[in-house]
Amino acid sequence: MIFSPWNYKILAVGLLLVIVGFTAMYLENEVEGIISLYVSPIVIMTGYITVIVAILKHDHSSSAAPDHS
């Protein structure tokens, strides 16, 4: 497998953060609101960074070739 279960969990958390950030920005629906200007962009960027980490993090122990001695 390309990803380990850890990668899938972190990827799901990152996607959830992105969805929550965009939803909070949509629900406030104000141009100069605190949530849509400050909180939501931070949550969205955290989600994107989490997704990138989940994709790029490689578990070396799971990729080791099995020893058939």
Side-chain angles (χ1 to χ4, degrees), residues 13-59:
V13 168
L15 290 175
L16 182 68
L17 283 172
V18 171
I19 291 169
V20 165
F22 277 114
T23 303
M25 191 181 299
Y26 173 75
L27 289 177
E28 185 180 29
N29 202 16
E30 291 183 24
V31 175
E32 298 195 17
I34 298 296
I35 293 176
S36 45
L37 275 180
Y38 300 108
V39 177
S40 289
I42 292 172
V43 173
I44 293 168
M45 287 305 296
T46 304
Y48 284 145
I49 291 169
T50 306
V51 167
I52 291 170
V53 167
I55 292 171
L56 295 179
K57 178 77 171 132
H58 182 66
D59 188 17

